Amino acid sequence: MNSLTNIDQSVLRDLNLSLVLRHLQDSKALSRAQLALLTGLNKSTVSSLVEELFQLGLIRETGINSNGTGRPATLLEINPLAGGVVGLELGVDFVTVLLTDFLGNVLWRCQKTVDPAEGEKPTIALTLDLIDEAIKQCKESNLRVLGLGVSTPGTVDLKEKVLVFAPNLHWRNIPLGRIYSQHLGLPVFIDNDANAAAVGEHLFGMARQVSNFIFVFAGVGIGAGLFLNNELYRGNNGFAGEIGHSPLAWNPALQIPCHCGNRGCWETNANQYSILRRAEACLEVKRNTIITPLMERKNSPLSIALLEEAAGEGDQVALDIFTETGEAMGLGIASLVNIFNPEKVILGGPLSIVGDYLLPAIKMSVKKHALPEISDQVDIILSSFRIDASVFGGIALVVNNILLNPSQISKEVV
Ligand SMILES: [Zn+2]
């Protein structure tokens, strides 16, 4: 056998290992015979691949299948204790670090607020401390650390693992991959927050087995993960999905300046700040509302959480503010629905804390502005991870890489 054939064999074996592991990830539990049927590989090849996945600690036995017509067979499943995974979300005014097992079950979580005006250095220093704590927790649970997945706002150079530009943070050309991998000595994966969240929804969340869906991340910024034909669509330079900077408003009164330098962007009309701006306008004209008394009673400034509380008590002004924001959000989503004809649109990120108030208006707006043949078929829902959708996305970046390259695990993990 010459060396080229050896390489081919090794590549083929890695592909087959990944194929078996991904079938187990898609299903709850499978026997070796079922895996052979699903993969088209012969039974002895499957047995050998399964043995290697056992050696890597990625799968485990889970009982006997005695319901079929054949003889009882041992069932196999993904091993949740294959290792711990650390996720980091760099928000505009917060950071979240999450530790989960290999199946995304939460073991530890910490969120801290940060001041975007202070620049990247203190924020990154804080995240390094939090990640160190997550790794400590992981080792105390007797789990190896499989890697770190980072989700960040803005455009990301995936090859160089560099944050190119995040308008809402005013960060440019930050080599996040180098910073985190040098400090941690761990495999590090980085992606834009909406893209990462889309991967998370497909792996663990509301889009399992869904081939065409759009994840809409909504917070200070608004971005989309376009998951089309079973993979993320990245565009020519990898920057696709910056929907928040698509123009939504042509009325000069609505053309608020955006951090990107333009006016009238979608995100200025439907982000967290737009909600506070609408509330301030209502208070200025002294509409009858419990918002002001609530602020006084709680000695609190105007905030989304406070408006949520007012809406919960039936305050019409708060409810109208969420409806108007949902209508603006729906206007943008209607365009996405018309262009991409997705099966689902999933809303997550910080603004999904008030998702239950936004969703009815979003649906109405999409119904009004998208073609009925398309909008009738689309399911518009909230992420089950809500405000943590992107940090779960960070977890998913690591898990996804192991599912695609299982043999790398023994070479890289600490
Ligand atoms: Zn913009």
Side-chain angles (χ1 to χ4, degrees):
M1 195 181 283
N2 64 35
S3 60
L4 185 63
T5 311
N6 275 336
I7 292 167
D8 289 346
Q9 291 289 335
S10 157
V11 169
L12 186 63
R13 183 154 182 98
D14 281 350
L15 287 172
N16 285 337
L17 267 181
S18 169
L19 187 64
V20 168
L21 193 61
R22 282 181 289 128
H23 273 292
L24 286 168
Q25 206 275 333
D26 280 346
S27 311
K28 272 200 159 164
L30 294 169
S31 67
R32 288 171 178 79
Q34 287 169 321
L35 277 167
L37 211 61
L38 286 166
T39 58
L41 299 167
N42 69 48
K43 284 183 187 172
S44 68
T45 304
V46 167
S47 289
S48 160
L49 293 166
V50 161
E51 184 50 39
E52 188 168 343
L53 292 171
F54 269 124
Q55 296 293 328
L56 293 169
L58 291 170
I59 62 171
R60 67 181 183 186
E61 291 185 346
T62 174
I64 304 288
N65 177 13
S66 53
N67 296 331
T69 48
R71 61 195 174 95
T74 305
L75 289 172
L76 308 164
E77 66 176 5
I78 296 273
N79 180 11
L81 304 178
V85 185
V86 185
L88 161 66
E89 178 178 3
L90 293 164
V92 173
D93 51 9
F94 69 92
V95 294
T96 307
V97 173
L98 187 68
L99 171 69
T100 74
D101 67 16
F102 191 50
L103 287 179
N105 299 304
V106 176
L107 303 174
W108 181 85
R109 176 188 185 273
C110 186
Q111 187 171 67
K112 300 268 185 194
T113 54
V114 293
D115 182 356
E118 288 186 356
E120 75 270 16
K121 284 199 173 130
T123 300
I124 289 172
L126 171 66
T127 61
L128 289 172
D129 287 346
L130 294 176
I131 294 164
D132 284 345
E133 179 60 28
I135 290 170
K136 189 168 148 243
Q137 297 284 335
C138 189
K139 290 184 173 167
E140 280 174 12
S141 305
N142 291 320
L143 291 174
R144 58 184 164 171
V145 187
L146 297 174
L148 168 70
V150 181
S151 74
T152 171
T155 49
V156 176
D157 180 336
L158 291 178
K159 192 160 162 272
E160 302 297 329
K161 300 186 179 180
V162 169
L163 169 59
V164 178
F165 180 42
N168 289 314
L169 285 170
H170 304 291
W171 293 8
R172 274 184 195 274
N173 298 319
I174 313 289
L176 293 175
R178 184 164 53 77
I179 292 168
Y180 289 110
S181 58
Q182 273 180 359
H183 178 84
L184 303 164
L186 278 173
V188 175
F189 303 91
I190 293 176
D191 211 331
N192 161 273
D193 46 18
N195 283 340
V199 176
E201 294 296 339
H202 193 248
L203 206 55
F204 304 123
M206 306 298 281
R208 281 178 67 100
Q209 323 282 346
V210 178
S211 306
N212 291 287
F213 73 93
I214 296 172
F215 181 90
V216 175
F217 176 92
V220 172
I222 294 178
L226 306 167
F227 199 93
L228 307 172
N229 295 330
N230 270 316
E231 60 185 356
L232 270 180
Y233 176 77
R234 296 191 176 275
N236 190 34
N237 297 319
F239 302 155
E242 288 295 332
I243 56 170
H245 303 289
S246 306
L248 196 67
W250 61 94
N251 177 349
L254 297 171
Q255 292 192 6
I256 312 287
C258 179
H259 281 135
C260 73
N262 260 327
R263 283 174 174 268
C265 291
W266 173 347
E267 72 181 39
T268 58
N269 288 282
N271 68 358
Q272 286 172 298
Y273 297 155
S274 79
I275 292 180
L276 299 179
R277 213 175 48 243
R278 287 186 178 97
E280 281 161 4
C282 290
L283 297 184
E284 220 170 274
V285 296
K286 297 193 167 37
R287 275 189 63 182
N288 187 20
T289 169
I290 65 165
I291 295 170
T292 313
L294 207 56
M295 286 166 66
E296 283 163 6
R297 200 170 79 219
K298 295 187 159 270
N299 194 22
S300 158
L302 192 60
S303 67
I304 306 282
L306 193 123
L307 290 170
E308 184 195 17
E309 195 173 335
E313 291 184 27
D315 184 75
Q316 196 54 49
V317 170
L319 291 167
D320 288 349
I321 289 164
F322 290 136
T323 298
E324 197 181 323
T325 309
E327 282 171 355
M329 184 72 85
L331 197 61
I333 291 175
S335 292
L336 295 179
V337 166
N338 276 337
I339 297 167
F340 295 109
N341 183 206
E343 183 181 333
K344 292 182 188 221
V345 175
I346 303 171
L347 182 71
L351 205 50
S352 60
I353 192 174
V354 290
D356 291 322
Y357 292 110
L358 300 176
L359 202 57
I362 291 174
K363 287 183 176 177
M364 287 286 287
S365 184
V366 171
K367 199 173 169 57
K368 188 173 163 193
H369 295 286
L371 282 180
E373 293 79 5
I374 307 177
S375 64
D376 286 352
Q377 306 292 325
V378 67
D379 203 8
I380 303 173
I381 53 176
L382 298 173
S383 164
S384 49
F385 306 123
R386 297 274 184 126
I387 60 167
D388 279 340
S390 280
V391 76
F392 266 98
I395 300 283
L397 296 179
V398 179
V399 174
N400 213 29
N401 182 66
I402 293 171
L403 293 174
L404 291 171
N405 308 286
S407 62
Q408 293 296 311
I409 195 170
S410 55
K411 297 172 197 158
E412 290 184 354
V413 296
V414 293

